[in-house]
Amino acid sequence: MTYNVTLISPEEKERLAGRCAPRARYEIKSEIFGCCIKLISDDRTLLETWQENFYPMSQNIRSHGRLYVFRDPSVGENTVQFDPYSKTAFLSNFSYYGWIKSIALGLCGDILEDEHGISSVHGACVDIAGKGLGMVGLSGAGKTTQTYGLLRDPHARIISDDWFFARIFGPEILAYGSERNFYIRQDLSAIWKEFDGLVAADEFDADGRAVADIRWVVGKGRLLPLSTLGTLIILHRYPADSRILCRLEKCEALALFTENGYFNPHLLVRDARKTALREQYIGDLIDRTECYLLNTTGTPKETQDQIRNVIGMRESA
């Protein structure tokens, strides 16, 4: 199951905003990698989760983008209507917070790639001794599981477990985090025992997730704002593929990104102009990193040890 995005005109945006206005009980501005994003809703639980997830922004700053999140019986479940001119998104009938926060990050990505030459990656980024490791892949490939597996090592520091922004500076590419706290799965501790008790059982939502402050487990100094990206691993889960780990040439890596929608289902606009921007960026990203393909059909520990071998870390316990 997924959500549908429809592009709308500024006139339709004004009409929808007018319909939502009488129900707009909560309005909060948050800072997401320099963008001021305003959340407008009547859902207090959503408001509280959002505030735990993102950094606060002065309410006197004008917003760069807006998310209206409401129930609307006139449209289907998980409907997104987006005006790319005013950077305003209307999210109707959403129950899964993970999609709401990803659409917010996608909205920031849309703003930043158009106006600041900054691109976004739907993936995790971990810093190992000053060098960043990026991990991307389709949903279920194991990005989150392997990110937290790496964090069991005291030399690993996290930038992001789900989404990072990237900017090219000469021969290097810098990866930046943006979330204050992370939206983690309840079953994480079943794989890595070190994360047991990070969130009380009654704090998880109906989807078995909760926004958690991982500083409680790994310490304040291991959540970093940025790192220089050196290695990129594409995770995939194909039992029929006999390859476990292989180094990718640029053409192979670029083809995988293109064929899989850049491993990002939360891009709000997918026209020819945006495609050209993303193809250029992904090419630059691959040029500046060592890129690998890793099959995750083994156990989480087996995959973890393959990742650690690539980046020169000791094997996991």
Side-chain angles (χ1 to χ4, degrees):
M1 186 177 180
T2 186
Y3 58 84
N4 300 309
V5 179
T6 301
L7 299 185
I8 60 174
S9 67
E11 292 76 19
E12 178 66 3
K13 183 269 293 186
E14 290 294 333
R15 186 186 73 81
L16 292 174
R19 283 184 58 192
C20 293
R23 300 168 56 197
R25 185 174 182 183
Y26 305 112
E27 294 188 8
I28 184 71
K29 293 176 182 175
S30 299
E31 188 264 327
I32 305 179
F33 193 48
C35 295
C36 178
I37 302 299
K38 179 192 280 190
L39 173 71
I40 303 117
S41 183
D42 58 356
D43 186 332
R44 184 170 182 80
T45 299
L46 169 60
L47 172 75
E48 293 172 348
T49 305
W50 174 280
Q51 288 177 307
E52 285 294 315
N53 191 179
F54 294 114
Y55 292 101
M57 172 66 87
S58 167
Q59 300 307 294
N60 294 322
I61 301 296
R62 300 299 180 188
S63 57
H64 300 107
R66 288 148 294 281
L67 259 69
Y68 288 80
V69 185
F70 291 93
R71 302 297 301 179
D72 184 350
S74 70
V75 298
E77 292 292 304
N78 305 316
T79 296
V80 180
Q81 295 163 289
F82 179 57
D83 171 21
Y85 296 99
S86 67
K87 308 300 183 185
T88 302
F90 297 87
L91 283 61
S92 301
N93 309 321
F94 275 72
S95 58
Y96 178 43
Y97 176 75
W99 283 349
I100 296 173
K101 72 109 175 178
S102 292
I103 293 167
L105 290 161
L107 173 56
C108 290
D110 188 81
I111 295 167
L112 293 168
E113 69 183 354
D114 276 351
E115 301 178 20
H116 300 282
I118 297 171
S119 298
S120 55
V121 179
H122 183 229
C125 184
V126 179
D127 179 276
I128 313 292
K131 282 292 185 181
L133 162 68
M135 291 184 287
V136 301
L138 296 176
S139 178
K143 300 185 296 295
T144 303
T145 296
Q146 297 308 322
T147 296
Y148 288 96
L150 291 171
L151 285 177
R152 296 177 303 142
D153 190 294
H155 298 97
R157 297 181 291 182
I158 189 167
I159 312 301
S160 174
D161 74 341
D162 181 62
W163 189 297
F164 61 91
F165 295 99
R167 191 168 194 175
I168 294 167
F169 288 94
E172 297 183 330
I173 186 159
L174 298 185
Y176 300 84
S178 59
E179 294 178 70
R180 175 186 178 187
N181 294 310
F182 302 143
Y183 190 54
I184 66 167
R185 297 199 316 262
Q186 188 171 13
D187 63 359
L188 187 63
S189 62
I191 302 170
W192 311 122
K193 301 300 183 184
E194 292 84 347
F195 297 97
D196 189 27
L198 181 57
V199 178
D202 61 357
E203 293 181 12
F204 287 97
D205 61 24
D207 296 291
R209 291 178 177 260
V211 174
D213 186 345
I214 65 164
R215 299 168 187 84
W216 299 338
V217 173
V218 302
K220 285 185 177 180
R222 292 176 59 199
L223 180 60
L224 295 186
L226 78 160
S227 182
T228 302
L229 206 61
T231 305
L232 182 67
I233 298 179
I234 300 173
L235 303 177
H236 75 151
R237 186 165 290 159
Y238 294 147
D241 189 345
S242 61
R243 298 175 300 172
I244 300 299
L245 177 70
C246 61
R247 179 79 180 268
L248 294 174
E249 297 295 331
K250 179 178 180 178
C251 59
E252 297 175 291
L254 187 57
L256 282 170
F257 269 91
T258 302
E259 291 164 7
N260 290 283
Y262 312 104
F263 300 105
N264 193 341
H266 307 294
L267 299 170
L268 294 172
V269 181
R270 297 176 182 268
D271 58 18
R273 182 181 66 84
K274 289 285 195 177
T275 297
L277 285 173
R278 291 161 187 158
E279 291 285 318
Q280 179 64 52
Y281 161 69
I282 294 300
D284 290 339
L285 171 66
I286 295 167
D287 281 339
R288 289 163 173 78
T289 58
E290 294 183 355
C291 192
Y292 295 85
L293 180 67
L294 176 56
N295 196 335
T296 64
T297 52
T299 66
K301 184 184 183 304
E302 288 171 341
T303 299
Q304 179 74 187
D305 289 340
Q306 290 283 356
I307 294 171
R308 289 175 178 238
N309 181 57
V310 167
I311 58 180
M313 288 179 71
R314 64 178 176 81
E315 289 191 356
S316 59

